[in-house]
Amino acid sequence: MKKVAFIMGSDSDLPVAEKAFETFKEFGVPFEVHVYSAHRTPVEAKAFAENAQKNGFGAIICAAGKAAHLAGAIAANTVLPVIGIPVKSSTLDGLDALLSTVQMPAGIPVATVAIDGAKNAALLAIQILAVSDPSLSEKLSASRSAAAEKVLQKDAAITAEYHL
């Protein structure tokens, strides 16, 4: 199975990132975590991206706040799918990071999830890997069925309580 790279622009992004790590563990998906900055360690970030495919990665997730150029910088140096997580900062509630992550020029796509949306980023990476891994696809289907069942149980309880 291919692994997923999770790159944070700063270790301050760790509380957001941990939601993705839990999801990878739940699905048995191997992952690595790194801290690279598009601005402070551009050489290292570029080298990681250039070598990611040959190092066994199938997708890369980048979490960054404020200017949030990390996902774009990584995407510019690999053909692997890159998923950006805009991280909420103290200044503009993550809107700055969202716009920086989602507004990529044509030819260098970055899939972007919600502000602080690490769980969905992990699930999207897992879906990407599942295209060529039937057992992972089955795990995703089972997870969705379980989630649907929880909603239906809640619906039944609410309906029973408030039925006239």
Side-chain angles (χ1 to χ4, degrees), residues 6-78:
F6 196 106
I7 305 173
M8 298 177 287
S10 166
D11 64 348
S12 66
D13 300 326
L14 191 56
V16 170
E18 287 175 330
K19 293 177 183 87
F21 307 160
E22 293 167 10
T23 304
F24 292 137
K25 290 175 185 174
E26 175 186 338
F27 282 87
V29 172
F31 65 99
E32 286 184 16
V33 182
H34 298 277
V35 177
Y36 295 122
S37 167
H39 305 110
R40 295 178 297 263
T41 59
V43 172
E44 292 81 0
K46 180 180 181 186
F48 182 87
E50 289 176 337
N51 293 298
Q53 191 169 20
K54 78 173 184 183
N55 288 332
F57 293 97
I60 301 172
I61 297 174
C62 298
K66 299 190 179 187
H69 295 131
L70 182 60
I74 294 297
N77 290 291
T78 186

Side-chain angles (χ1 to χ4, degrees), residues 78-105:
T78 186
V79 295
L80 291 176
V82 175
I83 303 163
I85 304 170
V87 176
K88 184 177 180 178
S89 65
S90 60
T91 49
L92 297 172
D93 287 333
L95 184 58
D96 48 349
L98 174 63
L99 295 174
S100 294
T101 305
V102 77
Q103 291 290 57
M104 291 299 299

